[in-house]
Amino acid sequence: MKRIKFAAIFLTIKGVQQVAAAEHRGATFGDLFSNAIFRDIVISISATVGLYVVASIIHVGGLNFEDYERALIIASR
């Protein structure tokens, strides 16, 4: 997870620097999402972190399918 965080921060900083250098002025919020490379980085990192959170919830037991199965068996009686 530390590698993902480092890569996310590093790529974000490099993306902002690239947008600021291309515009020859400070980068605004709209400029960041008009840059295709930066937008793709944000989408991919968001998807990776989102899948990590979902997998963590399932692993910890937040979605325990055995309980749902027992409830269905009891309800069908």
Side-chain angles (χ1 to χ4, degrees):
M1 190 64 181
K2 290 179 183 179
R3 292 182 197 158
I4 292 173
K5 288 179 185 178
F6 172 76
I9 293 169
F10 179 77
L11 292 173
T12 302
I13 291 170
K14 289 298 181 181
V16 170
Q17 289 174 347
Q18 180 184 8
V19 170
E23 299 292 329
H24 301 294
R25 59 179 170 78
T28 64
F29 187 74
D31 291 337
L32 296 177
F33 288 99
S34 65
N35 185 338
I37 295 171
F38 185 77
R39 183 181 60 237
D40 293 344
I41 290 170
V42 170
I43 291 171
S44 65
I45 291 172
S46 300
T48 302
V49 172
L51 288 174
Y52 177 78
V53 168
V54 169
S56 297
I57 290 171
I58 291 172
H59 178 73
V60 169
L63 298 175
N64 190 350
F65 294 110
E66 292 174 358
D67 292 338
Y68 296 120
E69 184 179 5
R70 280 190 220 121
L72 288 173
I73 291 172
I74 292 171
S76 66
R77 289 183 185 174

